[in-house]
Amino acid sequence: MGDAFSRDRPWREYAVVVLDVETTGLDPAAGDRVIELAAVRFGPSGEIEGSVVSRVDPGRPIPAEATEINGITDAMVADAPKFAEPWARVLELFGESRSLAVACAYSAAFDRGFLRAEHVRAFPESLVPFGLRIQWLDPLVWIREIARYEKGQGRHNLGIACER
């Protein structure tokens, strides 16, 4: 199979690491932080090869507006590790070269933006920021295309997309 990502290789031959984050807000550039991180690695044949699920101490209070959306409170992250610890375990899911696993996130730009900002904070000495060598899949892109032909509200909602 080789050791580098190739657009000529079918994506089903790669492992896929599905990622999701919960955050204190919508903008990592404004200081919003990750408060929960989850990742599951699926091998090329679909078997689960590893997972990481962790609350994360953001080092700042969680706004009430964020808690209303994700249900995570300050008390729930009080004893949680800082981002670097669970993130290091997530990076292990990608493997040594990080080129034989594809990242997948629903609305990937959101998750990728937060993960990149947190990675830079956690590992400022890193020469290659997370994401530059990793290929991404975003099911929302497909859902938006499919939903063009459907009527109704919430057609991009993850739950509705899964039912589809």
Side-chain angles (χ1 to χ4, degrees):
M1 258 188 38
D3 63 354
F5 182 84
S6 169
R7 294 187 190 286
D8 297 327
R9 183 182 302 153
W11 67 272
R12 68 181 174 275
E13 293 181 7
Y14 292 93
V16 176
V17 179
V18 180
L19 298 154
D20 189 37
V21 298
E22 296 299 334
T23 65
T24 61
L26 301 175
D27 188 357
D32 289 322
R33 305 294 298 268
V34 169
I35 54 177
E36 187 172 68
L37 174 62
V40 178
R41 179 185 169 106
F42 294 91
S45 62
E47 72 282 3
I48 294 176
E49 296 180 339
S51 65
V52 175
V53 178
S54 181
R55 295 268 164 77
V56 176
D57 176 359
R60 58 171 279 201
I62 299 172
E65 301 81 29
T67 298
E68 287 177 26
I69 293 168
N70 57 43
I72 300 172
T73 66
D74 291 328
M76 296 165 85
V77 299
D79 295 324
K82 297 290 187 189
F83 180 82
E85 187 270 317
W87 183 237
R89 292 187 291 135
V90 169
L91 291 176
E92 290 174 9
L93 294 177
F94 281 94
E96 189 65 32
S97 72
R98 297 195 190 139
S99 62
L100 291 178
V102 175
C104 179
Y106 196 79
S107 191
F110 180 85
D111 294 65
R112 189 173 50 230
F114 272 93
L115 294 172
R116 182 174 287 133
E118 293 283 11
H119 179 92
V120 169
R121 259 189 226 97
F123 304 104
E125 71 286 353
S126 178
L127 297 176
V128 180
F130 169 76
L132 294 184
R133 293 183 294 181
I134 295 174
Q135 301 298 315
W136 286 78
L137 292 174
D138 186 349
L140 180 57
V141 172
W142 302 327
I143 295 302
R144 285 182 174 149
E145 183 62 25
I146 293 166
R148 287 181 16 189
Y149 305 103
E150 296 180 347
K151 294 180 181 177
Q153 294 295 318
R155 38 184 211 216
H156 299 142
N157 174 285
L158 181 57
I160 292 170
C162 290
E163 286 176 19
R164 231 185 264 129

